[in-house]
Structures are given as structure tokens and as C-alpha cells.
Amino acid sequence: MENKLKSMGLAAREAARSLALAGRKEKDRALREMASSIRSRRDSIVEANGLDLEEGRKAGLSEPLLERLTLDDGRIESMAAGLEQIAVLPDPIGSGLGSYINEDGLEISRVRVPLGVIGMIYESRPNVTADAAGLCLKSGNAVILRGGKEAHHSNRAIAEAIGKALGNVGFPAGAVQLLDDPGREATQALMALDSLDVLIPRGGKGLKAAVKQHAKVPVIMTGMGLCHLYVDSSADVNMAVRIAVNAKAQRPSVCNSIETLLVHSDVASRFLPPLVKAMEEAGVELRGDDRVRKVVSMNPAVDDDWDTEYLALILSIKMVDSLDQAMDHIHLHGSGHSEAIVTRDYGNSRRFLDGVDAAAVYVNASTRFTDGAVFGLGAEMGISTQKLHARGPMGVEQLTTVKFRVSGSGQIRS
Amino acid sequence: MENKLKSMGLAAREAARSLALAGRKEKDRALREMASSIRSRRDSIVEANGLDLEEGRKAGLSEPLLERLTLDDGRIESMAAGLEQIAVLPDPIGSGLGSYINEDGLEISRVRVPLGVIGMIYESRPNVTADAAGLCLKSGNAVILRGGKEAHHSNRAIAEAIGKALGNVGFPAGAVQLLDDPGREATQALMALDSLDVLIPRGGKGLKAAVKQHAKVPVIMTGMGLCHLYVDSSADVNMAVRIAVNAKAQRPSVCNSIETLLVHSDVASRFLPPLVKAMEEAGVELRGDDRVRKVVSMNPAVDDDWDTEYLALILSIKMVDSLDQAMDHIHLHGSGHSEAIVTRDYGNSRRFLDGVDAAAVYVNASTRFTDGAVFGLGAEMGISTQKLHARGPMGVEQLTTVKFRVSGSGQIRS
């Protein structure tokens, strides 16, 4: 395994050198070729996906998981169209971040360059294979992809379509490689692969823990979200109910949905009854602390609830007596993803925006908006919940680093 | 040890929350107070430094190391003045990186915020204690400092001066903490401390290897430099000699000096004789490959020479037949710090700037210019040779991350 990965790493390093020098036209042509190759192999991709679904059913995967795994004609068309959309994005490579002439007469400019070789580990939908390949190629990076084992037939078929396209336009095969080995050892070896400039794991708690234990290369962790909505004493109750239901129930399986609602005691008796009604209509199970359950009856929340990313139609509710108590709770239990307040108070809105440490902080809006497209970054590699390098949605710009270019005329340092 | 560190981590986390909200005026006043506290405790700092020097002599430290360790009145004054210079720098916190209104009417702005809690491990001069504390405080971060054991008396005295100053202006003691324990276990525990948002190790190969083995938190590696100068066939020979001597000998103990010179075969017979003469005058030992030694006599270079950061007056020299060969050598052996070409050829200058992957790439200038002050960043925490988050000299801006602030009026996602 390690030898196989080592040679994949070397191929990626070599490919990265030529990708870094590839112009926008070449890269965009490659992206469009990838799209058309995926379209023309639609039948074989659907067939491969059928094998995954069959194995998944045998292995007893849940219906929602099988649904996520499924590729039909529509989803394959979206995958292809997504690559064409990446082709339309501006090329981040070479763009300048300021330049000046220093006192020695050196012309110094700071420009964006690719990271180099990216390792991407993901568990979920097979379309990530195409999205990640496209974003990495657009930003001039080589990538080694390692998808979930439930999707390995589908991922292989998609990677083959991409490889064929790269060959057609004269790009090196090392530009996009799929680590096609379902074993845990393969994942661990990838986490320690010297030739990676960065590892981007996209997944939940289990993957995060494995990364913490095994990663020997720089990491950008994505995909974890324990988000809160705080309903302030001055909140517009109708707005608060509407936002809470949207943030919890519109798509509970994603990282920008909320898991815990914090409500100020002054507004609890007005807010909780309509909230409970709306949540019940949306099919949400509620778990409250003792004070909440004195206002309306629901299941009790236990300590673990405050630290659980349900990714399901479950919401825990806690009563607080001040904005500070709400911010303390978020500080202790939040994952630094998305946090929201509903308030009519100007000062409290500012204190929340300033005082809460997360990738995205909201006043009077649903946390569900944390997304690369909404935030103007185009498609996204994932949503980073760490602070280093990239925070929040990661687009092509977040897959770059910088280089200082210095032009002189013989200057030496004195 | 781990318990002590855990409680230092908690104190740092709490301090970071209030530092993040501190305004520029308060932070700058704290920096000036730190400067005056260091000045007023000059005698006790010199005394503490005397103990370090005494122990260092007993332990047989080399003269250059003892010299680096020494604090006299002038150096203590520079340390204080350095803090005052940091106070004058613009405050990076809160500065905007673009804002817009999306199609839902959400006002989205991206602003700089502190990283949070920084761990800094350094081996060298005790003035780093004051520099790092100042840069972290200016950027709103709490820091846990872990200096070299040779300097522990000096570091303790400096940290006490800083702690007193912070108390005077009402800043929490957790803002700047010194991990005052010389053991290896302490360093390893710091590398795995959950409460760190980033670990910044500054040092050589040994430290890098230890970090790779033990770090469980995000890392920015600084301080390693294996830099090259390539003398192209079209080079101005006099300029090339002047730049080579400066890049090697002006201050050989720092990371932006060169270790290897690559010379094109077409210019070797004109370039090498005057180079050897100038290098000998500068006291530099030369080690050449076989082809170089056919032109001028010198010690032979062995394979290890191409991968050695001498940090001393030693230079290895290799002959190449093309720019591509030179770039291949740099790709294989360089540390991604600073790389230079001397050439009169326009096309080659562009190919070198584009094709060499390093934090700083130079045409016709000495690599010695890679420096926070020269590059306009003010004082620096170190020079990053990794690509993630910060590359090249790190100033206060590189000690920040971003936050999306989203102001709405009840928007939900459809």
C-alpha cells in the first residue's frame, strides 16, 4: 500500500509542476472535456452506481444513505454542468495581492500560486469526486481522491471518465488520481503521505478523530457543524420561529443546520408554544432542559445533547437569562461553523457578531446560508471549521497559496 | 505536566476571548507598557541572562551560540523599541476583506479576526520572547511561549516584565504565558494541547521532526531554509559573484542565506575563478562536484551536501547544463524558502519566477532580502516554509483568520 501511494504521490508532484504553469484556457478546456466525458459515459456510471447500491442494500445501508449514494441521469448531468460552471469561474492563479518597490529598489509582488498536491478524503456522495477534481484542476493543483467505500464502483467510473478527458487534452494522469482501495490502511497512509501539501478530510466525528491520530501533513478539516440559534429577549417571535424551523428542518443532514436552540427566559413563554407547534408540524423531535420543560412539555435533554451533531430532525432547547450566557454556551459547545441570533436590539446584534467566534455569524437570518455559492465563492470543496488557512466555505481561492516575486538589478543586503 | 498545561490552555482561551474584543488603543497602550516594563527591569534581565550564560559555558555551548544568547543594555533597548514599533503598526483586526449584498438581501462581509490561542516554540535568542508576545497581542491572540532551555532564566525575567505590564493595564495574565519547564515532555504536551488554534515552531531539522511526530494541532513550520543561487549562462559575472558572496557570507547563520550554488556550464570557466577568490576572502569553505573541481580545485561535495542546511561558512557548488536542470535540482533539494537566479535573459528570468516553487523567488538579487521588514510586513514571527495559511515572512496579518458577518432581516433558505 505504502509503495503504491508513494508512486501516486510522485506522479501527483510531477503533475503539479506542469499544472502550476498551465494557463486558464488549457485548464478550462480540460474542465469542459471532463464534463463531456462524464456525459458520454453516463450509462457505465449508472451501471457502476447500480453495483454500489446493490452492495449497499446487502450491507443494510439506511434509505437516506442509499438515496445520497444514488446517481441517476439528472445527477450525472448536474455533475457535468458543475464542471462547466467551474470553467467559467475566474482563474485565481497569478492574480496579484499587492506589489511595491522597496527602498533598495527591489520590485516585490505577491501573487497567488497553487498549493501543489491536495489529498481529499470524503465519505459521502460520489459527485464529490467530480467537484473536487474540478476545483483542484482549476486552481492548478494535483489531487489524490479517496472516496467512501460504499461508493467505490461509482467513484472509479467517474475517475475513469475524468482520466480519459485529461488524456484527450494532454494533461498528465497524475493530475487527478483516485486511491481505489477500500482499506483503512490506505486512508491512514494517505494521511501521512509526504508529498501532500494539504489533506482535506470531509466528514464527521469519526474521520476527524482518525485525522487527529494519524495525519502527518497539514490539514484543513471540513464538514463538522454544531450550530446554534439564540432567540434574544427582544426577538420578533414570528421571525424567530420561521428562522428556527428553516435552520433545523429544511435540510437536517447538512453541517449548517442547527442542533441547539437557546432562548432568553424573558421571551420563552411567548416563543416556545408556537415554536413547538411549528417544529411538530415539521416532524422535529424536541429535547428541552428543565426550565424549558416547565413552559412546554417535551423530552428531556441530557448533557450529551449539547455536544451532539444530530444531522437529523432532533433539536435540543436550553433556556438562558442573558446574551452572555448564550455566548458562553456557544463558546463551550459550538464547532465554530455558523451561529445566529434573532434580536431587535442593536447593541445585542453587535455584541453577538463581535463576540461569537465562528466561521459565519448571523443576525436575523438562517444558518443555512453558509455555503460557497451564497457567499460568492462559486462551488465549494467543503466548509472549514478550523481557523488556519481557510475558514468557512472553501472555493478555488482557498486552494491557493502565495509567492513573493522579487525582481532586482544586482541588489545585495547590507 | 499535562494538567499544568491544560490549565494554561484554559487561561489562554479565556484571555483570547477578551483580547479579541480589545480595541487598538488598549492593545497599543499594553505594548508600550510592556516596553517600559522591560526597560525598567533591565538590570534584573541582564542578571538572569548572566545565569544562562554561566550555565551555557559550563555546558560547553559554542561561542556563536553564547553570543546569540547574550543580552546587554543595547539588546534590551532594541527589544523594548521593537514592542513600540509593533504598537505603531496598523491593527489588522476588524479590517474588511470585501462585502456585498446577496440575492436574498443578506449583507455579507468578511473581516479579519484573531486566530485565538497560539503556541510558539523557539530555540534561539531570548528577544523572541518579547517579539512574539508583542505580535500576538497586537493581533488579538493569546500566546503560550516555550523558549529554549539555554535561555530559560532570561525568558522568565522577560516574561515577568511582560506579565507585570499586562497587569498594570488590566489585561488578563493568560494573554502571554511562558511554559517555564525545560523538559521534553513539556514541549510534546504543548504540541498536542487541544486549546491551541495553531502551533508555530521556529527552529531547525530536529524541531521539525519532533513536530511531525508529536503535533496534534494545526502547525505553521518556520525557520528552515535550504536556498539556492543559480548562475545562468547569460549572467553578469561580476554581479553573480557579488550576490553569491552576500547570499552566503553576509550572515550565514540565518535561514535566508544560500547553501548551494548552481552554475551553468557555459559560464563556469569565467565565473568560478573569481567566485573562488571572493569566497576565500570571505572565509567560505567550498565543496564542488566533479565538473566544478575540473575548473577550479576545492573539496569534493558528497550527496549529503545537497540536502544540508550548513548555517555556516560552507557552500556546495554544482554544475548544470540548462535552466531546467537547475530548476529540477531546486525542486528536489530546496526547502521552499528563497531561490534566486542571476541572468540577463528575459525569458529565463520569467521561467525561473514562474517555475520555481518557493515562498520567495528572486531575479538578480540576494536571497538575504526575505524578511518581514523588507517585504513590508513589519516585525515577523518567523518565515514560513509551508504553503498552508502563511508562506514567507509572517507579520501580524498572518496571525489572523477571517469571519463572515451576515446581517439579515428574517431571511430563510428555500
Side-chain angles (χ1 to χ4, degrees), chain A residues 270-281:
Chain A
R270 281 188 297 130
F271 169 71
L272 287 173
L275 176 84
V276 169
K277 188 163 173 283
M279 286 291 182
E280 277 171 0
E281 279 165 17

Side-chain angles (χ1 to χ4, degrees), chain A residues 371-407:
Chain A
D371 172 281
V374 174
F375 283 5
L377 310 172
E380 69 183 31
M381 279 291 275
I383 296 176
S384 162
T385 50
Q386 74 178 41
K387 295 185 188 173
L388 222 58
H389 188 75
R391 197 182 199 199
M394 296 179 62
V396 287
E397 223 169 65
Q398 281 68 39
L399 300 179
T400 66
T401 182
V402 295
K403 178 199 259 187
F404 288 92
R405 293 167 71 113
V406 185
S407 300

Side-chain angles (χ1 to χ4, degrees), chain A residues 18-19 22 26 29-30 33 163-173 175:
Chain A
S18 65
L19 281 174
E26 299 165 69
R29 192 177 54 192
E33 185 73 18
K164 185 82 173 84
L166 294 177
N168 288 348
V169 295
F171 271 56

Side-chain angles (χ1 to χ4, degrees), chain A residues 191-260:
Chain A
M191 291 180 184
L193 186 65
D194 254 341
S195 15
L196 293 190
D197 291 293
V198 58
L199 178 72
I200 305 182
R202 179 160 155 176
K205 258 189 174 167
L207 183 56
K208 189 174 182 174
V211 165
K212 202 155 186 144
Q213 201 186 334
H214 299 290
K216 298 282 173 213
V217 297
V219 168
I220 303 177
M221 194 68 219
T222 70
M224 295 270 298
L226 206 157
C227 309
H228 300 79
L229 176 69
Y230 167 60
V231 179
D232 195 25
S233 58
S234 70
D236 174 328
V237 165
N238 290 330
M239 183 195 285
V241 170
R242 206 167 60 236
I243 289 175
V245 172
N246 184 259
K248 176 70 253 181
Q250 195 239 355
R251 205 172 159 202
S253 66
V254 292
C255 56
N256 60 16
S257 62
I258 60 168
E259 315 298 343
T260 299

